[in-house]
Structure formats: structure tokens, C-alpha cells
Amino acid sequence: MYRRLFFSAFFGLSLALVGARGAAAADDAAGFIGQLSDKAIQVLSNKQLSQQDREQQFRTFIQTDFDIPEITEFVLGRYSNSASEQEKQDFAKLFQEYILRTNTNRFAQYSGEAVKVTGQRPSGAATAVQSQLTRPNGAPPVKVEWLVVQKASELKIIDINIEGASMRMGLRQEFAAIIQRNNGSIAALNQMLREKNGG
Amino acid sequence: MQESMIRHPSPLALAAWMTAVLITLVGCSSTRTSPSTGTASVASAEVDEANDPIEPVNRFIFDVNLKLDEYTLKPVAKGYRAAFPQPVRDSVHSFLDNLKSPIVFMNDVLQANVTGANATFGRFLINSTFGLGGLFDFAGSHGLPGHSADFGQTLGVWGVPEGPYLVLPIFGPSNPRDTTGLVADSLADPFSIVAGENGLTYLIFVRAGVSAIDSRSRTIELFDDLQRNSLDFYAAARSLYRQRRQAEFERRAAFEADEPSIAIAQAPLTEVSSLEPESKALDQ
């Protein structure tokens, strides 16, 4: 009898703990984005860093704070099924390099913008963190939403939505168009990515 | 590029042209769907997703538009940005925005968007007076931000499907529904009607030109970024247009749910003035 009580109490407590952990993690999503933007701005405003150091830092941020495998899977969409293992591996490598490059370029054009986190809401299994990208020259703020998921104990970004347009959806549709125009060949998409990365 | 501009070469001719385009497109899309069902492959499903049956034509127009932009609108927009300081450009933008208010208001009403209509009407009154004829977005800086509404959106609210993707010469990305909206809005615009009736038709063109320069000057970086980083600029632009329109539509559907569900203490952002309409619950 006591044993049963003990078990149910233990079970209840552990459930409560898991629940609390889940809630804490979700609560953290907004904080996570806030910290990330602070980190990025610190690197950008640190005049002692060389351009190379700065780029290296951004690469690290992107690699640690974005769920690149998940994004890779998403952007390939249904073509993931028809691609060969080799094509998929190539794509994963090329795509990672592509997002590192494009986003490092974007960071490099930084001119005093700031991210103001305004709230968060659940979005399926993920949490959407709402923010406003304020610009220094008085231009109207841009609405940016960060889609954050929890992977093990870490929070990771899986999408950035700018004024209603999802970046991963944009890439998925763009890649689908390229694959289609090349008769379903992922190799052709890989070749285009290779050229883009090289140039 | 697709920002609504006002054209007025004979409304009837335009309407006739539009009808012709619509019939052609609807015809195209229906003949197109039947053969593709035969090959129920990966590719056909993706074609449905892009809903772009006249892609080769669209790509051609897109390329021509791009060249046109490169040699005309873009350099002018850049020059405009270099020549005038931010406050002046802001005033130009606010003024143009204020001129659009009647059309936004009409569409708010047609969409049964009470909150939106209230806001638009309030903004128009406030900005036309305190904002010195619309030169300053007085309402916006006091907690009553603007929003857009157009007849393409209204048709969507009424349940009209967007139809296949369409790239219009000069106007850029669109679809039959938004094209119809563009024409309807320009025909119904009080500014154009008043200008036309008073022999000031040239004002319609001046306004269209300035609007084009204003909106282009605000998207130089975004546009360049997309062009530089995309592998297929046409497909990227198509996705962006679709997603943005869809988001606008959803935003309208949940007009009052625009605010984040869990507000986080942020002094400058939680500042809500008394101008904020109280009747949020009224709107569905």
C-alpha cells in the first residue's frame, strides 16, 4: 500500500519535473534568441577582431545554434526519397557551406540593427519567438520570427521567418524548382550549389 | 516592384484585357492539370505546389522586368535615396500611404474588418490633420500603426482562389486574383477619380511614378540579397511573393491576434497609447 503510494507520488513528481523542464525550455526560447543576438552584436561591434575572426565566430554560431541536419532534410523535401545516398551526402555538405556563406555575408553587412524579442508562442512541436529587427536609420522595424526546437538539452533554430516569409520554405521551393527543371536530378542542384559556393 | 501603381488608360479597355487574360489563364490551367495526373510522380506533385502553368512565359517576363528595373527604376531609386535625407523620404512615404487610405478603408469594410476599418479611418483623420496632410505618420508614432488592404486580399477573404502564378509586365509577381484586385483598386481609387474628373490626369502618373520609386528605394537591400544569394532568382521570388501574400491574408484573418501571445516586458514595444482601438473583440 505504502509502496503504491510511494510509486504514484514518485511517478507524479517525475511527471511534474519533466513538465517543468519542458516549460522551462520553452520559456527559454525567447531568452535564447535574445542571448544569441547579444552574442552576435558583441562580435560585430568588437573592433579588435579581424574580418577572418569574425567570420569564424559566425560560422561557429550558425553551426551550434542552428539545427542544420533538420533544415537540410526540410529543404530537400520529397526529393530526399528519390536521391541516392551519395547525392544526399553531397547535398548536406554543399548546403551547409551555402548557408554558412550566405548568412556570414548577411552578418557582414551589419549596420547597427538590433533584435528586440517581443514574445513567443507554441508552433507545433516548436516555439516561435517573435522579434523586431530595429534599424538605426529610422527605417521601419522588420518583423522576424525564429522557430526554435529543443534537441536533447539544447535549443536550436530551424527557421527564420521574415515578415511572413519562411526562409526554409523559400529554399525548399527554390530547390524544388531547380530539381524539376533538371528532370528530377539532385546532382544538378548540387552542381549549382558547388558553383555558388566557389564563386 | 509589385506595389500597386495606378494606371488609367481607359478603364473599359483594361477590364476587357483583364477578362481576356483571366479566360486564357483559367483555360491554361485546366488543360494543364489533366495530363499531369497521368504521371503521378514526385515531379507532378511539386508542379502543383508551384502552381505555375505558364512558367516559361512568366520567366521571360520576369527577365524583361529585371532588365527594365536594372536600367530604370533601380538607379532612379538609388539616386533618390542618395539625394534626399531619411526624414524627407519618410514624409514622401507617409504622404503616399495617407493617399492610399480611402482604398485601404474600402477594402477593410468589404472584408468586414471592423478593427482595421476603424484604425484606417482614424489614421486618415489624424495624419491628414496633425500629420500635416499626411506628411508625418503622427498616428503611427502614437501607437496606431497602419496596415495594408487591397482588393486582391478582399477577393481572397470572399473565398476566391488565387489562381496560377503570374508575372505581369512592369508590375511583377501576381496571380489572376491579385491582378483583378490591382485593376479594381485603381478604378475605385477616389484620388484617381477626382484627379481624372478635374483634368489632372497627369497627377495619377506622377503619383504612380513616385510610389514606384519610394517602394523600390525601400527594398534595394532585400532585393539585392535575394538576387545574390539565390540559385534560381525566379523561383525564389515566386516563393517569396506567395508566402508574403499568404501571410498578409492570415494576418488579416486574425487581425487582433497580431500581438504576441506572451508579451515580454519590453518598455518601448509594449507602449500602447490611448489611440489603440478598444473594439478589438468586435472583429473576427
Side-chain angles (χ1 to χ4, degrees):
Chain A
M1 180 66 198
Y2 278 112
R3 187 176 251 190
R4 256 174 80 184
L5 197 69
F6 175 75
F7 265 116
S8 53
F10 179 75
F11 188 62
L13 185 68
S14 44
L15 264 187
L17 278 177
V18 169
R21 248 193 81 174
D27 284 347
D28 273 357
F32 165 67
I33 295 300
Q35 278 167 16
L36 185 61
S37 91
D38 289 347
K39 255 190 335 191
I41 287 167
Q42 238 168 31
V43 172
L44 283 162
S45 46
N46 184 349
K47 299 263 187 294
Q48 276 156 1
L49 288 174
S50 71
Q51 191 55 36
Q52 252 182 341
D53 290 341
R54 208 164 283 161
E55 272 181 25
Q56 195 45 54
Q57 295 254 30
F58 287 131
R59 283 180 167 255
T60 317
F61 289 164
I62 295 166
Q63 273 163 330
T64 52
D65 296 323
F66 284 73
D67 189 344
I68 296 180
E70 167 112 19
I71 298 169
T72 306
E73 186 74 25
F74 184 88
V75 297
L76 210 47
R78 60 193 57 157
Y79 293 103
S80 186
N81 303 325
S82 54
S84 73
E85 214 39 56
Q86 184 59 45
E87 282 172 336
K88 276 208 281 199
Q89 274 174 25
D90 287 350
F91 176 76
K93 251 194 292 190
L94 291 161
F95 179 64
Q96 162 154 322
E97 183 57 25
Y98 171 75
I99 42 178
L100 285 172
R101 261 174 182 275
T102 50
N103 288 298
T104 312
N105 284 343
R106 287 188 182 118
F107 277 124
Q109 284 161 18
Y110 176 79
S111 54
E113 290 86 351
V115 176
K116 278 203 170 118
V117 174
T118 56
Q120 62 176 45
R121 60 177 173 80
S123 173
T127 304
V129 176
Q130 288 134 331
S131 73
Q132 290 205 321
L133 186 75
T134 54
R135 296 183 280 174
N137 51 6
V142 180
K143 223 181 246 180
V144 181
E145 225 178 64
W146 312 77
L147 204 56
V148 175
V149 287
Q150 187 167 13
K151 276 281 159 79
S153 62
E154 286 178 316
L155 292 171
K156 304 237 181 211
I157 299 166
I158 53 168
D159 192 20
I160 304 175
N161 187 304
I162 301 165
E163 293 281 350
S166 145
M167 289 183 84
R168 62 174 186 165
M169 185 52 87
L171 287 171
R172 179 183 174 137
Q173 290 178 346
E174 185 184 347
F175 291 169
I178 293 168
I179 296 170
Q180 264 171 54
R181 280 164 70 78
N182 290 285
N183 304 313
S185 158
I186 282 127
L189 171 63
N190 284 343
Q191 187 50 37
M192 285 178 82
L193 280 168
R194 203 169 283 126
E195 279 163 24
K196 197 83 185 173
N197 291 342
Chain B
M1 257 182 99
Q2 47 83 27
E3 194 83 3
S4 66
M5 293 188 262
I6 315 304
R7 279 307 114 101
H8 253 234
S10 165
L12 271 179
L14 255 180
W17 179 79
M18 270 309 308
T19 317
V21 169
L22 278 172
I23 290 167
T24 318
L25 281 168
V26 170
C28 269
S29 62
S30 56
T31 49
R32 184 60 201 249
T33 41
S34 35
S36 68
T37 44
T39 51
S41 64
V42 166
S44 76
E46 208 72 63
V47 166
D48 291 343
E49 206 172 288
N51 192 8
D52 191 356
I54 58 159
E55 185 170 331
V57 178
N58 280 340
R59 278 191 186 266
F60 175 78
I61 299 171
F62 185 80
D63 288 345
V64 174
N65 282 348
L66 215 57
K67 274 274 169 285
L68 255 163
D69 174 68
E70 194 185 328
Y71 292 108
T72 58
L73 192 53
K74 190 181 172 184
V76 173
K78 277 189 153 171
Y80 168 70
R81 216 156 67 161
F84 298 98
Q86 182 81 39
V88 174
R89 284 179 281 134
D90 281 349
S91 277
V92 170
H93 183 74
S94 298
F95 185 75
L96 291 167
D97 233 28
N98 200 45
L99 278 188
K100 268 196 275 184
S101 295
I103 273 293
V104 175
F105 178 76
M106 279 190 237
N107 281 297
D108 284 338
V109 170
L110 291 173
Q111 295 173 24
N113 181 356
V114 178
T115 315
N118 270 339
T120 307
F121 190 70
R123 279 176 57 79
F124 185 65
L125 286 185
I126 293 163
N127 285 345
S128 300
T129 52
F130 296 120
L132 308 181
L135 287 176
F136 299 95
D137 185 8
F138 190 85
S141 52
H142 289 78
L144 189 57
H147 64 272
S148 66
D150 55 69
F151 197 65
Q153 214 179 59
T154 301
L155 288 172
V157 172
W158 292 353
V160 177
E162 61 176 352
Y165 183 66
L166 188 58
V167 181
L168 302 177
I170 301 166
F171 294 94
S174 190
N175 55 51
R177 185 181 71 196
D178 290 344
T179 308
T180 310
L182 189 71
V183 176
D185 281 337
S186 76
L187 293 181
D189 191 349
F191 176 87
S192 310
I193 294 170
V194 171
E197 279 174 356
N198 291 285
L200 300 167
T201 320
Y202 76 94
L203 277 183
I204 298 166
F205 292 99
V206 171
R207 178 193 176 193
V210 179
S211 291
I213 296 165
D214 167 61
S215 56
R216 187 66 182 91
S217 74
R218 296 159 71 89
T219 54
I220 289 175
E221 282 76 18
L222 178 81
F223 197 91
D224 285 354
D225 182 275
L226 197 67
Q227 191 165 18
R228 187 175 46 240
N229 292 323
S230 57
L231 301 175
D232 182 339
F233 189 33
Y234 171 85
R238 179 175 64 194
S239 171
L240 191 66
Y241 178 74
R242 283 254 177 76
Q243 289 200 58
R244 283 268 169 95
R245 282 301 274 175
Q246 186 59 31
E248 270 175 37
F249 189 70
E250 280 161 14
R251 222 176 358 252
R252 198 232 66 91
F255 198 77
E256 72 276 27
D258 211 16
E259 271 86 1
S261 43
I262 304 169
I264 287 174
Q266 279 283 339
L269 289 164
T270 46
E271 175 202 305
V272 179
S273 96
S274 53
L275 287 172
E276 189 79 4
E278 288 146 22
S279 54
K280 286 210 161 186
L282 275 175
D283 183 55
Q284 287 284 40

